[in-house]
Amino acid sequence: MTISRRDFLSASAALTLAPAFGARALAAPLPRDADIVVIGAGAAGIAAARRIQAANRKVIVVEASGRIGGRCITDATSFDVPFDRGARWLHTPETNALVKLARPAGIDVAPSPPSQKLRIGRRNARAGETEELLAAVVRANRAIDEAARRADIACAAVLPKDLGDWAGTIDFVLGAYATGKDLKDLSTLDLSRAQDRAIDVATRQGLGALMGKLGDAVPVALSTPATRVTWSGRDIGVETASGRIAARAVIITASSNVLSSGAIKFTPELPKRQLDAAAKLSLGSYDRIALQFNGNPLGLGRDELMIEQSTSTRTGALFANIGGSSLCTIDVAGAFGRDLAAQGEAAMVAFAGEWLTKLFGSDLKAAIKRSATTRWDASPFVLGAMSGAAPGGQASRRVLAEPMGNLFLAGEATHETLWGTVDGAWESGERAAEAALKKIGVLKEPEAEKPVRKPKRQQRTTGDISGGAGR
C-alpha cells in the first residue's frame, strides 16, 4: 500500500511550502542573452538547468524569491534537528533519480517512519479496528478506480455509502492528506492514474539541503522575478526588473496558481487552452505546524506517524519525535487547513495544542518550547501546495505540458502520474529541457527507421500456426 491511496498511514507526499530561509548570492550579473532561460529555481528548474548545462549550452535561471529549492526548503536553525518546511519524502528509491543523486552530494537517505499509529479518541486502535479502516480504504479505492473507467467526476460522489465511522478518515487520508484537496474537489481519473508512491526514504539533512547541493553549480539570479515572457517568432526573451534576457527558448516552472494569477505577462498571451488547463490544476492547501516540546509529553517513539479516526475535517496528521528529538509536526490540509492557515500562526498553534490535548488527555500547551508554521497559500511566488485536478480536469496535465513554439512549461502539475511530488517535478524539468534542446537544434530527433523489405516467405506447411503475429 502507498500514499497514492494504497496506504492510509504512509507519510505525506505533499509538496507543502514555507517562508524562505537562507539565501544564495547571485553568481554573476544578469546576462543579456542565453540559449535557454529557465524561470523558477525549484526542483523542475534545477533539473532543467542541469540538463542544459550537460549539453554545453548557456542557461540562466531567474528566481523570484531569495533562495533556491522552490517547494523544497529545510530550516536548519529553528529547532534541534533540520525541519523540512516543504517536501519531506522521496519515493521508490530503486528508480528515483534524486535518491541516486543524493548520496554523491553528501546527503544521507533514511527509511520512512518505522512506526505508524491510528488513534481512536484517547487510545490507540486495536488491530481489528485498523483492519476495518484498511478494508474501507480498499473499497473506496476500488470505487474510485471503477468510476474513473466510465467518467472523470468527483471522487466524493463515488465513495461507498456504508463507510460508517471511517468516512471522515478516508476523506482526509485519500483527499486532503495525500493531495491537499478534499475528495469532493478531486478528479477520479487523476487519483486513479497517479503512480503508486511507496514512501521509502527521507533525507537526514532535509530535501531543501539536497536541492541546494544539486543547484550549487547552476547559475541562478535570485530575487529576480520574471515580469514578461516574449515568445513570438524570433523575438524570444524574458524581462525582469534587472533587465531583459534574449533567448532561443524559455522554460517556465512556475506553479499552476502563479500561471493563473497573471503575475507573469506574456507577449503574445498564453493560449486559452493552457490557461484553462492551469485553472483546472489549481493547487490544494497543505501546511505544517511544528512544535518542539520539553521532554516527550506524548509518550511516543522516534519518528512515529499518527492519524485519528475523525468524524469531521477538523483533523491532522502527527509526525512525532523527528530524528529522535522532541520536535513534532501536525500537518493540516484541504479546506480546513486553508481556513486555519488564513487565521494566522497563533490560531494554527492553538489548534495543534487543542487537537493533541483531545487525543492524549492532558493540557500540552505548557510543554511547548518552540513553534513554527507554514502558510503557503499566502506565499506570493507559489500560492498553494501541489496541484490536484478538478473533476473533469485530468487531461489538463498533458495540455499544460504541450510545447508552444519555443516556450515550454514544467513542474509537478505537468506530470500525468507523479504530480504532487518532487520526483515528478524533477522528471518534468528534465523532459522540458530535452524538448527545448531539440527545438533549438542541439539535440536531434531520432530518425525513423526505414522499413526493410523482406523477401516473401512461402506458405508454412508445418504445425506452427502462430504466423509470427504474437506480441
Side-chain angles (χ1 to χ4, degrees):
M1 298 185 190
T2 65
I3 190 57
S4 59
R5 295 172 299 115
R6 306 301 189 227
D7 185 354
F8 77 100
L9 284 178
S10 282
S12 173
L15 290 174
T16 53
L17 307 162
F21 274 67
R24 169 180 167 158
L26 179 63
L30 201 69
R32 292 185 178 181
D33 60 79
D35 288 309
I36 301 174
V37 177
V38 177
I39 298 176
I46 293 171
R50 284 168 59 101
R51 178 64 188 90
I52 296 163
Q53 285 180 312
N56 295 315
R57 288 302 181 267
K58 185 177 180 181
V59 62
I60 181 69
V61 182
V62 293
E63 166 58 42
S65 75
R67 62 173 182 84
I68 65 172
R71 286 172 266 186
C72 296
I73 177 169
T74 304
D75 174 3
T77 61
S78 295
F79 302 103
D80 296 339
V81 293
F83 165 44
D84 269 324
R85 291 174 167 263
R88 177 179 273 167
W89 306 104
L90 295 174
H91 316 283
T92 320
E94 296 81 6
T95 58
N96 192 314
L98 287 169
V99 173
K100 296 175 182 178
L101 290 169
R103 295 184 179 95
I107 300 294
D108 303 320
V109 295
S112 58
S115 181
Q116 304 168 350
K117 294 184 183 299
L118 170 65
R119 195 82 168 172
I120 298 181
R122 294 186 178 180
R123 64 175 177 82
N124 292 331
R126 302 180 184 93
E129 291 167 326
T130 301
E131 288 300 323
E132 286 179 15
L133 176 55
L134 287 171
V137 169
V138 168
R139 291 199 296 124
N141 284 327
R142 187 178 296 123
I144 291 170
D145 291 340
E146 290 176 353
R149 297 189 186 100
R150 301 188 299 272
D152 189 5
I153 59 178
C155 291
V158 303
L159 292 180
K161 305 301 182 184
D162 59 347
L163 295 176
D165 293 338
W166 299 116
T169 308
I170 288 172
D171 198 343
F172 175 69
V173 169
L174 303 188
Y177 183 49
T179 72
K181 289 188 175 182
D182 300 329
L183 289 180
K184 65 181 179 61
D185 301 317
L186 280 173
S187 148
T188 52
L189 196 56
D190 210 30
L191 217 55
S192 181
R193 288 187 178 178
Q195 183 173 321
D196 282 349
R197 300 160 194 183
I199 312 297
D200 288 326
V201 297
T203 62
R204 184 174 62 82
Q205 295 90 343
L207 283 187
L210 173 60
M211 287 300 132
K213 291 280 189 180
L214 296 179
D216 270 347
V218 173
V220 181
L222 295 175
S223 302
T224 308
T227 56
R228 183 176 295 275
V229 176
T230 305
W231 57 287
S232 175
R234 294 184 178 180
D235 184 18
I236 302 169
V238 175
E239 296 178 17
T240 76
S242 302
R244 186 180 191 275
I245 313 165
R248 300 172 65 191
V250 178
I251 297 173
I252 300 175
T253 68
S255 75
S256 55
N257 279 16
V258 169
L259 284 175
S260 296
S261 74
I264 304 173
K265 306 301 181 185
F266 293 87
T267 304
E269 293 185 358
L270 283 182
K272 185 177 184 298
R273 175 178 170 84
Q274 271 69 28
L275 289 174
D276 288 347
K280 292 176 182 176
L281 299 171
S282 64
L283 303 186
S285 181
Y286 196 113
D287 279 297
R288 190 160 288 151
I289 306 162
L291 306 176
Q292 184 156 11
F293 289 100
N294 287 311
N296 183 14
L298 302 179
L300 295 174
R302 173 177 177 147
D303 294 331
E304 283 202 320
L305 181 67
M306 189 207 77
I307 63 168
E308 66 163 333
Q309 182 187 60
S310 176
T311 56
S312 75
T313 59
R314 190 178 172 82
T315 189
L318 170 68
F319 188 29
N321 302 325
I322 297 171
S325 71
S326 61
L327 177 64
C328 302
T329 61
I330 296 94
D331 292 354
V332 293
F336 165 68
R338 188 185 301 277
D339 292 344
L340 180 63
Q343 297 174 45
E345 182 168 349
M348 297 175 76
V349 173
F351 162 76
E354 293 167 3
W355 186 68
L356 291 175
T357 296
K358 179 191 73 170
L359 293 175
F360 291 91
S362 60
D363 189 353
L364 297 167
K365 296 176 185 177
I368 298 174
K369 180 180 177 181
R370 212 173 300 158
S371 65
T373 64
T374 67
R375 296 178 62 202
W376 287 101
D377 295 332
S379 173
F381 304 131
V382 185
L383 300 175
M386 66 284 211
S387 65
Q394 197 279 335
S396 297
R397 296 199 184 278
R398 181 173 293 180
V399 171
L400 206 61
E402 291 174 353
M404 294 170 281
N406 288 46
L407 180 63
F408 304 85
L409 300 180
E412 54 86 17
T414 67
H415 204 294
E416 288 191 87
T417 60
L418 284 174
W419 50 267
T421 71
V422 185
D423 321 349
W426 187 270
E427 188 174 303
S428 78
E430 291 186 326
R431 182 174 62 190
E434 292 274 346
L437 289 167
K438 288 176 182 176
K439 182 66 177 179
I440 66 175
V442 175
L443 299 180
K444 302 298 182 183
E445 294 282 0
E447 293 185 7
E449 292 185 5
K450 295 181 179 180
V452 177
R453 180 171 294 181
K454 296 181 179 180
K456 190 174 182 180
R457 292 191 303 173
Q458 292 183 343
Q459 182 77 29
R460 288 188 179 183
T461 57
T462 67
D464 182 358
I465 61 172
S466 67
R471 292 186 179 182

